[in-house]
Amino acid sequence: MIDIVNSIITKVTIDNFPILIKRDDLLNKDFSGNKARKFYYFFKNDFPHINTIISYGSNQSNAMYSLSVLAKLKGWNFIYYTYHISSQLQKYPNGNYKEALANGMQLIVDENFDLTKLILQKDQLFIDEGGAIQEAAYGIKILADELKQYVQQNNIKKLEVFLPSGTGTTALFLQKYLDHKVITTPCVGDKEYLKKQFYILEHNIQYHPTILKPEKKFHFGKLYKQNYKIWQNIKKNTNIEFDLLYDPIGWQVFLKYLKYNYKPTTTYIYIHQGGLLGNVTMQERYIYKYGEDI
Ligand SMILES: *Cc1c(COP(=O)(O)O)cnc(C)c1O
């Protein structure tokens, strides 16, 4: 049986800033990134009465793919609802969609899907969109413990942690279990949306991460040349491939933060949250829109 183990921490330099990268993209070949952390609770514990995972969301979501891996590992069925699928994707499956289907995902396309009308059987486990669930705390606490151990072993005085947010679940639980400052930025909704997300998962605002706003509003999943450029630059500078949905926004915000707030006595770490399978799709879309020499 596979398991995920303490992921390595790499040192890089970007814009002359020394930055550590927590390589959660390398946790495991199939079960990696923050989705592996968020779903680790289900992976690690026994649920004899469960035989099916039910979830819903976008048809290219990283969470969908990771749930398909989880279901396969557990020997469970996986039923996933999505509102829409393009005929293009149906004809030429790729990325998370293709691999989730290969793992046995049963996709139900229903433009009228209504969560409040979903009736669960006793043997079905429901996982909310993007894995915004309390159980995510279990695996993210392990990530926090790995960072604490690194701080201790390397005699780090002050650490600041940065990671971009979707539902905000990873950033929230990381801050809850870590005595160091956790900073994030919203990539899906705005700052108010992210605050609400934090509050749903944790009422005590002392545990909420610091939110920095992106310079401009990016619509989630939309293509921005500036995002592709920064993604390419980071890859060239570090030899590390990051995700194309969240990380370009993450890096823009983080580097600007460092530009104005960097202190040599502070150690900075960026959490690589995986999601690379989705890059296949994103890169195709970018090249289709802007051409090969983008
Ligand atoms: C899902 C995902 C996120 C967002 O995680 P949240 O816990 O929902 O904030 C960020 N980066 C990558 C690569 C992801 O796959």
Side-chain angles (χ1 to χ4, degrees):
M1 194 65 161
I2 66 147
D3 201 350
I4 58 178
V5 288
N6 197 340
S7 65
I8 60 163
I9 290 175
T10 325
K11 293 177 188 176
V12 300
T13 305
I14 304 173
D15 291 358
N16 292 319
F17 299 119
I19 301 168
L20 300 174
I21 312 284
K22 176 71 169 161
R23 301 294 305 274
D24 268 9
D25 55 318
L26 302 178
L27 278 176
N28 175 272
K29 188 172 76 62
D30 301 310
F31 198 47
S32 72
N34 71 338
K35 303 306 181 293
R37 300 284 190 186
K38 285 160 92 165
F39 302 142
Y40 194 59
Y41 174 81
F42 301 105
F43 171 73
K44 208 56 187 168
N45 292 290
D46 285 329
F47 301 86
H49 60 292
I50 293 296
N51 67 28
T52 302
I53 296 175
I54 311 270
S55 189
Y56 73 102
S58 122
N59 58 43
Q60 278 293 12
S61 121
N62 294 335
M64 173 193 74
Y65 168 70
S66 292
L67 285 176
S68 78
V69 176
L70 176 68
K72 196 171 158 188
L73 291 168
K74 300 290 274 193
W76 293 342
N77 306 309
F78 175 37
I79 299 175
Y80 189 80
Y81 293 89
T82 196
Y83 297 99
H84 171 79
I85 185 161
S86 69
S87 52
Q88 178 75 10
L89 184 60
Q90 256 176 331
K91 231 165 124 188
Y92 307 103
N94 65 16
N96 288 316
Y97 171 75
K98 180 179 176 184
E99 299 306 323
L101 287 178
N103 285 335
M105 171 179 72
Q106 300 167 46
L107 186 74
I108 300 177
V109 182
D110 179 0
E111 62 181 36
N112 299 314
F113 174 69
D114 181 353
L115 188 57
T116 61
K117 296 212 173 100
L118 188 68
I119 298 165
L120 284 186
Q121 309 298 322
K122 278 212 264 321
D123 53 8
Q124 295 179 331
L125 169 72
F126 175 73
I127 295 188
D128 212 344
E129 185 171 16
I133 47 176
Q134 288 296 337
E135 290 88 341
Y138 180 91
I140 297 167
K141 182 174 185 297
I142 297 171
L143 170 59
D145 289 342
E146 290 175 14
L147 295 177
K148 276 185 205 168
Q149 191 190 1
Y150 186 88
V151 164
Q152 243 176 12
Q153 284 171 351
N154 294 275
N155 240 327
I156 292 169
K157 301 281 172 297
K158 190 171 176 218
L159 182 78
E160 290 190 359
V161 182
F162 188 94
L163 70 170
S165 277
T167 66
T169 311
T170 313
L172 174 80
F173 288 123
L174 204 50
Q175 183 65 90
K176 181 166 178 177
Y177 296 116
L178 211 55
D179 291 332
H180 306 276
K181 186 173 178 180
V182 173
I183 308 169
T184 189
T185 192
C187 300
V188 173
D190 58 7
K191 188 173 173 171
E192 292 312 309
Y193 158 81
L194 194 53
K195 271 192 188 167
K196 269 189 217 144
Q197 287 292 121
F198 291 160
Y199 194 75
I200 292 170
L201 291 165
E202 172 61 61
H203 286 337
N204 186 349
I205 60 166
Q206 257 187 304
Y207 292 135
H208 290 190
T210 303
I211 304 174
L212 302 178
K213 275 192 194 177
E215 211 154 305
K216 67 177 208 192
K217 167 101 193 89
F218 295 102
H219 293 275
F220 189 64
K222 248 184 98 170
L223 308 180
Y224 298 89
K225 215 170 191 171
Q226 127 188 34
N227 288 358
Y228 197 83
K229 290 283 173 217
I230 181 132
W231 175 81
Q232 273 180 323
N233 258 331
I234 299 281
K235 192 169 164 181
K236 210 167 70 194
N237 269 286
T238 63
N239 266 321
I240 300 173
E241 179 172 342
F242 286 86
D243 135 284
L244 258 166
L245 272 170
Y246 301 89
D247 288 318
I249 302 170
W251 277 111
Q252 283 171 70
V253 172
F254 186 42
L255 291 174
K256 187 175 166 202
Y257 173 76
L258 290 176
K259 189 172 163 191
Y260 294 105
N261 300 278
Y262 178 80
K263 293 191 189 69
T265 49
T266 302
T267 302
Y268 298 90
I269 188 161
Y270 187 101
I271 312 291
H272 193 320
Q273 301 182 88
L276 298 188
L277 189 53
N279 278 5
V280 182
T281 319
M282 286 299 283
Q283 243 182 316
E284 267 181 19
R285 291 179 58 211
Y286 267 110
I287 288 168
Y288 185 77
K289 180 162 181 184
Y290 294 108
E292 289 286 345
D293 54 350
I294 176 176

